[in-house]
Amino acid sequence: MKIMIIEDEVKIRSELTILLQNSLYDVSKVEKFERVEEQVKKTEPDLILLDIHLPGQSGHELCAAIRQMMDVPIIFLTSDSDVISETNSMLMGGDDFITKPYHPSVLLARISAVLKRSGRNLQPNEAILKHKGICLDTRAYKVRANDKEVELSKNEYKLLHYLFLHKEEMIPRLDLIEYLWDNDVFIDDNALSVTVTRIRSRLNDIGVKDFIETKRGVGYKI
């Protein structure tokens, strides 16, 4: 797994590099803070550790720019400890927020948890989830069946991935809404129905029908 460190303090960057390499991660680091987005795109990391206070642009601005290019997990690692900073970090697309000084074991545990949620820590033989003849490619964000495949949007993938991880379970609508839009308290309940409809349309394109079951007023299962 490749982790990219975007931290301008040399000492902290060095400490993080040693910690992660000792934990058998492949580590890359930004040392020149010009065109950082291009460096991220070229590296294609599995996770990014991102400081908020950077030369040239803030970590929040960089996070928003990265989100336009790819859906890579981002953990903010910063000396800021106020609620506003944490809230802004999550609203800008962060997956987690850790304050400095951090405890190494806690940081590693949080990294592992974020990678697990994203599906990126799966071994090659686990990267393809299967159920009822349907294959979900967790690395390419695609679903396959009948020798056909279709690409999923971020939320379509997240929802279907969650259902695959809880197959044969009826998942309450509220659980799915909180999982997909946990940072948006104003989300319309109808947004979930729209996302499910879109997934069903994608599945229909590859010849799959009635894969997602609905229990009206309760939730969904596969």
Side-chain angles (χ1 to χ4, degrees):
M1 302 300 292
K2 185 183 295 182
I3 296 181
M4 189 171 199
I5 302 170
I6 306 179
E7 163 66 64
D8 63 321
E9 293 188 37
V10 177
K11 182 179 179 180
I12 295 177
R13 192 166 66 223
S14 177
E15 290 174 350
L16 287 170
T17 299
I18 294 171
L19 173 66
L20 295 171
Q21 288 178 337
N22 287 342
S23 299
L24 303 181
Y25 287 109
D26 181 7
V27 180
S28 63
K29 49 194 175 183
V30 172
E31 297 177 318
K32 295 183 179 180
F33 293 85
E34 297 175 354
R35 299 182 178 180
V36 179
E37 297 95 325
E38 294 181 11
Q39 296 181 55
V40 173
K41 188 174 182 179
K42 182 178 180 180
T43 303
E44 295 186 345
D46 294 295
L47 182 141
I48 294 173
L49 291 179
L50 178 60
D51 189 16
I52 291 178
H53 303 290
L54 297 170
Q57 64 179 328
S58 73
H60 291 153
E61 293 171 331
L62 182 56
C63 179
I66 293 171
R67 282 282 173 259
Q68 296 297 315
M69 300 187 303
M70 61 180 69
D71 186 31
V72 58
I74 296 175
I75 296 179
F76 280 97
L77 188 61
T78 176
S79 56
D80 291 351
S81 59
D82 58 282
V83 174
I84 294 177
S85 183
E86 180 173 0
T87 301
N88 288 337
S89 298
M90 305 307 283
L91 290 175
M92 292 303 290
D95 294 272
D96 205 344
F97 182 95
I98 302 175
T99 57
K100 304 172 188 173
Y102 55 85
H103 193 286
S105 61
V106 173
L107 175 60
L108 292 173
R110 301 279 279 273
I111 288 173
S112 178
V114 170
L115 287 171
K116 184 177 181 180
R117 289 201 303 269
S118 71
R120 292 172 182 257
N121 66 335
L122 298 174
Q123 297 300 316
N125 64 334
E126 298 176 314
I128 305 297
L129 302 180
K130 299 180 181 180
H131 186 54
K132 297 180 179 178
I134 313 301
C135 299
L136 180 66
D137 189 328
T138 65
R139 297 189 183 277
Y141 283 26
K142 294 180 179 180
V143 61
R144 303 187 180 104
N146 305 315
D147 296 321
K148 298 179 181 179
E149 67 177 26
V150 64
E151 194 166 327
L152 302 170
S153 70
K154 176 183 175 180
N155 274 354
E156 290 165 359
Y157 166 77
K158 285 182 67 177
L159 192 153
L160 195 55
H161 182 243
Y162 192 89
L163 292 175
F164 263 87
L165 294 178
H166 300 83
K167 53 191 177 185
E168 303 297 346
E169 297 180 33
M170 182 61 66
I171 308 300
R173 289 179 60 87
L174 183 58
D175 287 2
L176 289 170
I177 290 172
E178 290 180 347
Y179 175 68
L180 291 172
W181 298 286
D182 60 340
N183 292 322
D184 193 341
V185 296
F186 303 107
I187 193 69
D188 187 342
D189 178 78
N190 187 54
L192 177 61
S193 299
V194 171
T195 303
V196 172
T197 298
R198 288 176 177 169
I199 294 174
R200 284 174 170 154
S201 177
R202 306 276 192 196
L203 292 172
N204 187 63
D205 289 341
I206 56 175
V208 177
K209 296 182 179 180
D210 304 321
F211 182 63
I212 300 178
E213 299 179 33
T214 302
K215 187 170 184 179
R216 189 174 297 276
V218 179
Y220 303 94
K221 78 171 183 175
I222 61 172

